[in-house]
């Protein structure tokens, strides 16, 4: 894994942003799922902010006010008093996009690692919730060997390889398709595009 993080950190900022954008795509269905279940939040608002990020990646001098987008994003967070599993996963999607916006505003060199770890952390939490294993060591082994975690690791590897390659307009389109993952989130939720 450390080799993976070294490769991530070695990427130039635009490629790191593309990596984060693809991971954010795959977190969006978790937010949409929460919004549908709770009646809170606005998946379209979140989608709109992420669409602007993709536009900026495709058109270097696209004039986008990312300060304003960050304000909009803050309004889309689940209510602080909602500590449900769904709210925490929805918040991860908002926080990941927020980290991405920070890099577009020229701050947050650690953001790419945070977004990678946030996505894996959500998968770990889901496995812990569904497996109900009390023993820490057995749970750690379960998490490591779980098909969802294997899928998450494979997905992040595939995204990293993609952003290390050609990132022209077609490359970005392919990356975005990869991130959308046919509408299925890192937790295996969704599936209708």
């Amino acid at each position: 894994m450390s080799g993976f993080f070294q490769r991530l950190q070695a990427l130039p900022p635009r490629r790191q942003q593309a990596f984060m954008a693809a991971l954010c795509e795959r977190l969006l269905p978790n937010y949409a799922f929460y919004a549908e279940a709770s009646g809170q939040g606005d998946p379209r608002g979140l989608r709109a902010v992420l669409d602007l990020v993709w536009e900026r990646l495709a058109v270097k001098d696209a004039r986008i006010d990312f300060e304003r987008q960050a304000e909009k994003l803050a309004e889309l967070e689940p209510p602080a008093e909602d500590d449900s599993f769904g709210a925490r996963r929805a918040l991860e999607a908002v926080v990941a996009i927020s980290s991405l916006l920070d890099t577009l505003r020229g701050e947050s060199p650690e953001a790419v690692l945070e977004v990678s770890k946030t996505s894996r952390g959500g998968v770990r939490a889901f496995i812990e919730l569904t497996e109900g294993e009390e023993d820490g060591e057995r749970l750690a082994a379960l998490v490591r060997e779980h098909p969802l975690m294997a899928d998450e690791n494979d997905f992040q590897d595939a995204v990293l390889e993609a952003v290390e390659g050609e990132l022209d307009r077609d490359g970005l389109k392919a990356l975005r398709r990869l991130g959308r993952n046919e509408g299925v989130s890192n937790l295996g939720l969704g599936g209708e595009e």
Side-chain angles (χ1 to χ4, degrees):
M1 193 62 71
S2 62
F4 175 88
F5 289 128
Q6 282 166 341
R7 280 167 65 199
L8 257 189
Q9 282 192 294
L11 292 170
R14 180 171 174 267
R15 291 178 185 272
Q16 289 187 353
Q17 289 156 358
F19 176 89
M20 290 186 275
L23 264 58
C24 290
E25 281 290 345
R26 211 165 87 122
L27 293 173
L28 276 188
N30 295 338
Y31 184 93
F33 197 76
Y34 166 75
E36 204 174 295
S38 69
Q40 303 275 358
D42 174 15
R44 278 198 308 270
L46 211 56
R47 162 91 273 149
V49 174
L50 192 51
D51 285 347
L52 287 173
V53 170
W54 284 108
E55 184 184 328
R56 175 63 178 276
L57 287 168
V59 184
K60 282 190 182 55
D61 45 7
R63 299 202 44 80
I64 296 162
D65 180 353
F66 286 113
E67 293 291 338
R68 177 72 194 105
Q69 296 311 315
E71 287 164 22
K72 283 187 192 168
L73 205 53
E75 292 159 19
L76 299 176
E77 286 185 11
E81 62 277 4
D82 187 346
D83 194 31
S84 66
F85 182 83
R88 289 199 301 269
R89 303 295 76 82
L91 183 60
E92 284 168 357
V94 176
V95 166
I97 296 174
S98 182
S99 295
L100 175 49
L101 289 185
D102 287 344
T103 68
L104 287 158
R105 298 188 323 220
E107 35 205 77
S108 196
E110 294 294 305
V112 71
L113 299 182
E114 286 162 21
V115 171
S116 170
K117 288 173 180 169
T118 295
S119 188
R120 283 184 222 272
V123 176
R124 184 178 307 106
F126 185 72
I127 296 167
E128 288 173 359
L129 179 81
T130 52
E131 295 295 339
E133 173 61 66
E134 294 302 311
D135 178 61
E137 262 174 55
R138 274 212 301 271
L139 182 60
L142 262 174
V143 167
R144 263 195 315 278
E145 289 149 22
H146 198 281
L148 271 179
M149 188 55 87
D151 185 54
E152 174 68 15
N153 291 332
D154 290 347
F155 174 76
Q156 289 205 24
D157 286 341
V159 173
L160 179 56
E161 277 174 34
V163 300
E164 286 174 337
E166 192 59 51
L167 266 195
D168 55 10
R169 195 170 278 278
D170 288 341
L172 282 170
K173 273 191 189 143
L175 180 65
R176 193 171 185 178
R177 246 193 328 275
L178 176 66
R180 285 203 165 161
N181 199 37
E182 291 164 2
V184 178
S185 82
N186 61 338
L187 308 182
L189 300 174
E192 62 284 337
E193 261 295 278

